[in-house]
Amino acid sequence: MANPYLPKWEYIPDGEPRVFGDRVYIYGSHDIAGSWSFCDKVLKCWSAPVDNPTQWVCHGDIFRVGKTRDHEADTDWTEDTSKLFAPDVVEKDGKYYLYAYIENHKGCVAVSDRPEGPFKLVSQYKYNIPDEVCNGGIFIDPGVFVDDDGRVYIYCGYLSSYLAEINPDNMYEILDGTLIEDFIPKEPRPEDGFDTKEKLFFEAASMRKVGDTYYMIYSPNDCPKLAYATSDSPTGPFKFRGYIVDSGVDYPGGNDHGSIMNVNGQWYVFYHRMTNGTIMSRRGCVEKIEILPDGTIPMVETTSLGFEDSLNPYQITDADIACVLTGDAFISERNVFERFIRNITTETVIGYRYFDFGDDFGSKTMEFAAKVRGMGTNCRMNIYIDGVESADRLKTVKTVGTKIGSIAIGHDDSVITGVVDAVTGRHAVYFTFETDYSGWMGDYFKGRSLFELESFVFMK
């Protein structure tokens, strides 16, 4: 399944991926399409087979801090307007423990016999640390780690980072004397690689262990990137190693939150992207990554691929899987069945990485069709592979692309068609847009929304 890897109507940001048994699970916040606030009062869980991580199944609501149409709240110290953010789930001695971050309330731990829940409240966190530490007992963005020796750690924080050890006998008590503040420093520390403020901790702590190395994945001040630091101990010190992904380059940016996971022998980074013209309404995305022998993770570009190796240009592509979206254009949801790209102007570039057009099929041309909604302006959609007309139009593309065609769009077209040059092999596809107006009339149409794009397809 392409990015976003869950069904298009599902908004699960802040994803913590976990593999339990033969399935990969995603635990995250739950956003609402078009909302002007983050998150919801429920947590949901999705899972897929590790040998086919395109077949996701929804397990429904697994924990609640407010009454829903089917259940009462799982907590008695929250209100129906309370919200759940960025959870994590770990396995310990055959039980699955959910760590919940509740906005403006003390966080808690819940337990289940199954990784998909439902989860039953165990306790709020118990600790003997000052209330101002760990954000007053909220434990923002808890990332929990069970080490090979059975010891359990929690990492959390917003603007300041905290870690502590959890009593493995009950999984909710913070052990006295184990708190470490600012394990990712608040001020630049060149000797550990944190030589600028942009690399320092913002939020979204997530711990993973690869071999004997501990990887702290987090959102740095340089949002919307995901950064990582490593250590030979779960309590640090940590050394900054680099960035894994930047979800805001050539795309509407906001925050980011995610982690890395090995699924059936392949490492991935899980992250999210914004929709609906806000920094909310976030949808989960995933990219393949590589962990090199020296422990570094080369930064990857964002793509439309998800768990796929390539997209099929001869199947209808929904416009909303774009990984490049510039010039103030954005994805919007019309209803549960329909999403589209709106606010397309002459400054917009829309891109998809990557399509496999296959081998030479003996023709110099092929057809292109797109489903659009005209908005009263005659314009053209230019179709490029591997880049656009100018190398400085995009931050992620440094070469000039090859133009393979240009399709006219009228006032009220619902489907546009045209002939373009035939393409073989694997390529990124980009769209740019222009009008026939020049001079003062061209200035008049600058910034004007030209049409809305819903889907497209190439045809031999």
Side-chain angles (χ1 to χ4, degrees):
M1 186 171 289
N3 279 330
Y5 59 87
L6 294 178
K8 306 293 185 59
W9 50 263
E10 183 63 286
Y11 295 78
I12 305 289
D14 307 327
E16 279 288 351
R18 296 288 183 181
V19 171
F20 297 124
D22 60 357
R23 298 188 70 83
V24 55
Y25 294 81
I26 193 71
Y27 305 93
S29 307
H30 181 230
D31 277 358
I32 300 173
S35 174
W36 286 94
S37 63
F38 292 113
C39 304
D40 193 5
K41 59 186 174 184
V42 303
L43 298 176
K44 298 174 72 174
C45 174
W46 288 74
S47 74
V50 295
D51 59 357
N52 188 6
T54 64
Q55 300 298 313
W56 289 85
V57 173
C58 181
H59 300 288
D61 298 347
I62 61 173
F63 196 72
R64 312 155 194 83
V65 291
K67 184 177 180 179
T68 68
R69 66 173 183 260
D70 295 326
H71 295 278
E72 298 293 328
D74 294 300
T75 51
D76 60 9
W77 66 95
T78 56
E79 305 83 31
D80 282 345
T81 56
S82 297
K83 294 182 179 181
L84 282 158
F85 287 26
D88 197 6
V89 172
V90 294
E91 185 272 334
K92 182 74 166 65
D93 300 329
K95 299 284 188 180
Y96 300 88
Y97 293 89
L98 180 147
Y99 291 79
Y101 159 26
I102 309 172
E103 184 185 33
N104 300 323
H105 289 78
K106 290 186 181 296
C108 64
V109 183
V111 68
S112 176
D113 293 325
R114 303 178 302 179
E116 68 270 23
F119 289 84
K120 183 178 181 180
L121 178 68
V122 176
S123 175
Q124 291 182 327
Y125 299 113
K126 302 296 183 183
Y127 54 87
N128 293 311
I129 55 179
D131 275 342
E132 63 269 18
V133 177
C134 297
N135 308 98
I138 297 175
F139 286 73
I140 289 177
D141 294 348
V144 182
F145 174 70
V146 181
D147 208 349
D148 300 334
D149 59 5
R151 296 172 73 174
V152 184
Y153 302 86
I154 188 169
Y155 307 81
C156 63
Y158 170 68
L159 301 182
S160 296
S161 57
Y162 308 94
L163 73 83
E165 193 167 347
I166 298 175
N167 184 343
D169 295 330
N170 58 38
M171 297 297 283
Y172 60 80
E173 178 188 6
I174 304 301
L175 296 178
D176 291 344
T178 64
L179 175 70
I180 297 177
E181 299 185 56
D182 298 320
F183 64 86
I184 300 296
K186 293 181 71 171
E187 297 295 332
R189 198 166 63 197
E191 65 271 20
D192 289 331
F194 299 95
D195 52 0
T196 66
K197 288 185 177 294
E198 286 72 21
K199 298 176 181 178
L200 304 182
F201 187 84
F202 182 67
E203 60 184 359
S206 179
M207 173 62 75
R208 295 292 185 268
K209 188 177 184 180
V210 183
D212 294 326
T213 302
Y214 297 84
Y215 283 75
M216 171 51 53
I217 316 301
Y218 67 98
S219 177
N221 285 330
D222 192 11
C223 285
K225 296 177 181 177
L226 286 182
Y228 72 107
T230 62
S231 175
D232 59 6
S233 165
T235 57
F238 290 92
K239 179 179 178 63
F240 178 82
R241 302 298 295 276
Y243 300 112
I244 304 175
V245 69
D246 184 347
S247 63
V249 59
D250 292 332
Y251 197 89
N255 66 359
D256 208 347
H257 186 149
S259 195
I260 62 174
M261 197 71 219
N262 189 307
V263 182
N264 202 31
Q266 172 65 57
W267 281 97
Y268 294 90
V269 58
F270 290 70
Y271 65 106
H272 61 235
R273 293 184 191 149
M274 314 299 165
T275 65
N276 287 289
T278 73
I279 60 172
M280 296 82 179
S281 298
R282 301 159 296 175
R283 299 190 300 182
C285 294
V286 64
E287 306 291 350
K288 290 181 179 180
I289 62 170
E290 183 180 9
I291 301 179
L292 300 180
D294 64 358
T296 57
I297 303 175
M299 188 172 177
V300 295
E301 64 181 353
T302 59
T303 73
S304 303
L305 295 175
F307 290 98
E308 304 289 352
D309 292 325
S310 296
L311 302 177
N312 185 345
Y314 310 118
Q315 293 180 350
I316 294 173
T317 297
D318 292 331
D320 70 315
I321 69 167
C323 59
V324 170
L325 200 54
T326 73
D328 296 324
F330 60 91
I331 292 161
S332 187
E333 179 172 304
R334 182 173 290 121
N335 54 56
V336 71
F337 298 103
E338 297 178 295
R339 278 146 295 278
F340 59 98
I341 298 176
R342 67 189 308 171
N343 203 35
I344 297 171
T345 70
T346 55
E347 288 74 46
T348 297
V349 178
I350 301 174
Y352 302 83
R353 296 188 282 252
Y354 289 90
F355 288 98
D356 187 348
F357 287 87
D359 298 329
D360 185 4
F361 51 84
S363 177
K364 296 181 180 180
T365 61
M366 57 184 175
E367 291 181 272
F368 174 85
K371 187 176 181 181
V372 304
R373 283 194 174 189
M375 301 185 70
T377 302
N378 292 331
C379 60
R380 288 192 306 279
M381 174 190 287
N382 301 314
I383 305 168
Y384 289 82
I385 59 170
D386 303 326
V388 289
E389 73 277 9
S390 173
D392 60 3
R393 280 287 298 268
L394 296 173
K395 295 178 181 178
T396 52
V397 180
K398 302 304 180 186
T399 58
V400 176
T402 300
K403 186 177 180 179
I404 63 171
S406 184
I407 311 297
I409 300 174
H411 287 204
D412 59 357
D413 292 313
S414 59
V415 175
I416 59 169
T417 60
V419 175
V420 300
D421 295 340
V423 175
T424 60
R426 193 171 189 262
H427 301 277
V429 171
Y430 299 95
F431 302 139
T432 66
F433 311 92
E434 61 182 327
T435 68
D436 291 326
Y437 306 108
S438 60
W440 69 268
M441 187 61 73
D443 292 338
Y444 178 79
F445 280 95
K446 186 175 182 179
R448 176 171 174 165
S449 185
L450 302 175
F451 70 102
E452 296 171 349
L453 177 64
E454 296 188 11
S455 58
F456 62 92
V457 66
F458 293 87
M459 297 169 286
K460 295 181 181 180

